[in-house]
């Protein structure tokens, strides 16, 4: 669903000053302004925290910490901390108040440090408050859970078929999850979007706001969906983009949606290349080029080299280790590896790179395709993002034999490249236990908080929600996002021609007057939703 790091880079251009010792402690419990105190008491059953204590932490940001219960069902039990950062409004006197943001990246705050233009335009009207999810923190933060075992790259399953590879991957993924459980301690039990939604409500209360203004991208949209389920009457305005279909209980249907989205993305890449001067494929049809390469596979990885039938290819049945395979000259690139490379390149940001790789492979050198298909280098310590995702989305991963039956159906539905996406989606949670799991569905209230059903509240006063749906979103397919939007009472929909994280990427590209961003801002600032059936063009693909 979500390759969060693709939206905001996690490299940080400047060092982050450490928090003053006196301010890094849990926030004291005091009363809030009268407008927000009753709502907070209903949410937590404990005294409300004081407003955050902010300190300058570099890159134009101010930082704070907020103490929250590990389990909101036991508010007086063990506690944990979450990191906050604030980008003050450019005109403090004209600020409309706080806008809470979760970008869905592995670290929202670190991503904003690296690419502030992605969100800085919001500071024209709001004090922009960035919230990290549990176990994830700003650089050097004690709130970050550091898992000692790297998480394996699901491309291993795509590249290497067979039951042995399946079992080896499951063992490695389970080892990663166990290391996260050990590192997190009691806080591990709180790694669900249900808990994070309660954290968002605690942030709202600590900021002194009766209702929440929220921007959620990718996994941040999952938190928004959970918040709508639990606290529908506390929403002022909310924009959700890259929305996963979290209410879809069928793993098979979810895999079919991703497979079909990949095939549509391939067609969009072909159309983009055909209409662009200077596309490396010239006047050739990109899909026909791919078909030709698949028929000729295995392919050599050096110009003018014939494939040595005795050398193993990436899909030869050997189990890849956690490291990245090298595209050495003379190594065969088989059809499976070609498909994995194309899937990696179908993100619109990588279309020019994919065109060059296909052109080089057609000329006799598939080394660029081999590099695109290679699993990423293991990173340790790892972050807890995958464990959180799996607690929410896939508590029951299909067994190997059942998955092969699913994959056979995927081959019939999406025969070129989409069929192989199933291994990536299932691979993220293969071997990870599905407990605790509190998946949001935007279907009813919550017995712990006394939250009222979104459907019942919506019948009287629909939440003010806008959902952005990208035609080229391969991580959160448009079909699923539309179903998710349909379950949110009163939600408006804004379709656009770009892919995952379009609002953030347009900001980073300085496309300030883009149709999508203009309409999102009009909604967040003025409460004006776009007209029904509004469609914005693909403005990111137009400039590549």
């Amino acid at each position: 669903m979500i390759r969060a790091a693709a939206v905001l880079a996690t490299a940080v251009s400047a060092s982050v000053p450490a928090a003053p010792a006196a301010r890094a402690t849990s926030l004291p419990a005091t009363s809030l302004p009268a407008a927000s105190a009753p709502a907070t008491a209903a949410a937590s059953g404990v005294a409300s925290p004081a407003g955050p204590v902010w300190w300058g932490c570099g890159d134009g940001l101010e930082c704070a910490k907020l103490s929250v219960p590990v389990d909101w069902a036991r508010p007086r039990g063990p506690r944990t901390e979450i990191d906050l950062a604030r980008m003050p409004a450019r005109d403090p006197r004209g600020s409309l108040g706080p806008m809470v943001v979760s970008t869905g990246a592995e670290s929202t705050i670190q991503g904003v440090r690296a690419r502030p233009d992605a969100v800085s335009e919001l500071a024209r009207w709001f004090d922009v408050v960035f919230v990290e999810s549990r176990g994830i923190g700003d650089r050097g933060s004690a709130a970050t859970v550091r898992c000692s075992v790297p998480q394996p790259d699901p491309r291993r399953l795509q590249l290497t078929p067979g039951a042995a590879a399946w079992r080896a991957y499951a063992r490695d993924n389970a080892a990663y999850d166990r290391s996260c459980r050990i590192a997190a301690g009691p806080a591990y039990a709180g790694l669900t979007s249900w808990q994070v939604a309660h954290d968002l409500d605690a942030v709202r209360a600590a900021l002194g706001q009766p209702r929440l203004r929220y921007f959620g991208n990718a996994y941040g949209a999952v938190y928004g969906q959970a918040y709508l389920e639990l606290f529908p009457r506390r929403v002022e305005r909310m924009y959700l983009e890259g929305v996963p279909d979290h209410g879809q209980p069928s793993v098979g249907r979810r895999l079919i949606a991703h497979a079909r989205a990949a095939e549509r993305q391939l067609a969009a890449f072909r159309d983009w290349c055909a209409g662009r001067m200077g596309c490396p494929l010239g006047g050739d049809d990109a899909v026909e080029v791919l078909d030709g390469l698949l028929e000729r596979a295995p392919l050599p990885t050096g110009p003018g080299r014939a494939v040595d039938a005795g050398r193993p290819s990436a899909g030869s049945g050997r189990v890849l280790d956690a490291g990245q395979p090298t595209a050495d000259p003379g190594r065969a690139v088989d059809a499976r590896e070609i498909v994995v490379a194309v899937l990696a390149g179908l993100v619109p940001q990588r279309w020019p790179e994919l065109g060059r790789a296909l052109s080089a492979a057609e000329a006799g050198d598939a080394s660029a395709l081999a590099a695109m298909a290679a699993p990423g280098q293991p990173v340790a310590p790892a972050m807890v993002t995958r464990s959180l995702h799996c607690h929410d989305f896939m508590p029951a991963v299909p067994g190997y034999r059942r998955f092969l039956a699913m994959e056979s159906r995927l081959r019939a539905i999406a025969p070129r490249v989409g069929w192989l996406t199933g291994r990536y989606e299932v691979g993220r949670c293969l071997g990870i236990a599905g407990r605790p799991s509190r998946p949001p569905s935007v279907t009813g209230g919550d017995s712990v908080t006394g939250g009222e059903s979104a459907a019942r509240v919506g019948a009287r006063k629909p939440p003010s929600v806008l959902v952005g749906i990208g035609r080229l979103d391969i991580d959160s397919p448009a079909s699923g996002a539309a179903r998710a939007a349909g379950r949110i009472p009163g939600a408006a929909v804004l379709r656009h021609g770009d892919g995952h994280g379009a609002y953030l990427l347009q900001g980073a590209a300085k496309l300030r007057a883009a149709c999508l961003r203009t309409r999102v801002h009009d909604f967040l600032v003025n409460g004006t939703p776009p007209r029904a059936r509004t469609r914005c063009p693909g403005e990111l693909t137009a400039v590549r």
Side-chain angles (χ1 to χ4, degrees), residues 455-474:
R456 284 183 279 129
V457 174
R460 298 196 303 270
K461 185 178 179 182
S464 296
V465 182
L466 176 63
V467 178
I469 301 177
R471 183 175 66 89
L472 300 181
D473 194 335
I474 196 171

Side-chain angles (χ1 to χ4, degrees), residues 300-303 327 331 333 360-361 365-372:
T301 54
R331 183 174 68 79
V333 178
D365 182 5
S367 57
L369 286 178
M372 293 180 71

Side-chain angles (χ1 to χ4, degrees), residues 157-357:
L157 286 178
Q158 293 179 315
L159 290 166
T160 312
W166 182 276
R167 290 192 297 269
Y169 179 93
R171 287 194 298 269
D172 291 347
N173 216 24
Y176 152 76
D177 188 53
R178 281 195 302 273
S179 74
C180 292
R181 183 186 293 271
I182 293 170
Y188 181 89
L191 296 179
T192 69
S193 59
W194 186 87
Q195 301 287 356
V196 175
H198 285 78
D199 296 347
L200 288 176
D201 200 54
V203 170
R204 171 200 62 76
L207 295 172
Q209 299 299 303
R211 288 182 295 277
L212 178 73
R213 297 187 191 92
Y214 183 70
F215 177 110
N217 176 75
Y219 218 87
V222 175
Y223 306 144
Q225 291 177 78
Y227 192 90
L228 284 166
E229 178 189 358
L230 296 168
F231 311 112
R233 301 182 69 177
R234 300 179 197 167
V235 175
E236 177 73 20
R237 286 175 201 138
M238 181 178 288
Y239 176 65
L240 305 177
E241 184 171 299
V243 183
D245 186 10
H246 206 180
Q248 174 56 265
S250 169
V251 174
R253 290 179 181 176
R254 192 178 302 147
L255 298 184
I256 288 172
H258 281 275
R260 286 176 169 160
E263 295 289 316
R264 287 194 298 270
Q265 197 88 330
L266 178 62
F269 166 69
R270 175 189 59 196
D271 296 343
W272 171 85
C273 199
R276 177 161 295 274
M277 291 290 293
C279 175
L281 295 176
D284 294 338
D285 182 287
V287 173
E288 292 180 0
V289 170
L290 173 61
D291 288 344
L293 294 175
L294 292 173
E295 289 176 5
R296 286 164 44 199
L299 305 175
T301 54
R305 290 179 177 270
V307 172
D308 181 353
R311 294 181 64 89
S313 66
S316 62
R318 62 185 173 92
V319 178
L320 297 175
D321 58 24
Q324 181 173 332
T326 57
D328 59 291
R331 183 174 68 79
V333 178
D334 70 0
R336 182 179 288 268
E337 193 171 3
I338 295 170
V339 172
V340 174
V342 171
L343 287 172
L346 284 183
V347 181
Q349 302 93 282
R350 299 189 71 180
W351 282 358
E353 179 187 359
L354 177 58
R356 292 191 295 270

Side-chain angles (χ1 to χ4, degrees), residues 9-87:
T10 56
V12 182
S13 57
S15 61
V16 183
R23 297 178 178 178
T25 58
S26 302
L27 297 175
T30 60
S31 60
L32 279 176
S36 56
T40 306
S44 66
V46 297
S48 305
V53 179
W54 302 99
W55 66 85
C57 55
D59 300 310
L61 300 178
E62 299 169 346
C63 292
K65 291 182 179 291
L66 188 67
S67 175
V68 295
V70 166
D71 184 357
W72 280 95
R74 296 190 302 135
R76 300 189 184 278
R79 302 184 73 80
T80 187
E81 282 189 329
I82 57 175
D83 283 354
L84 309 177
R86 179 172 66 181
M87 181 182 290

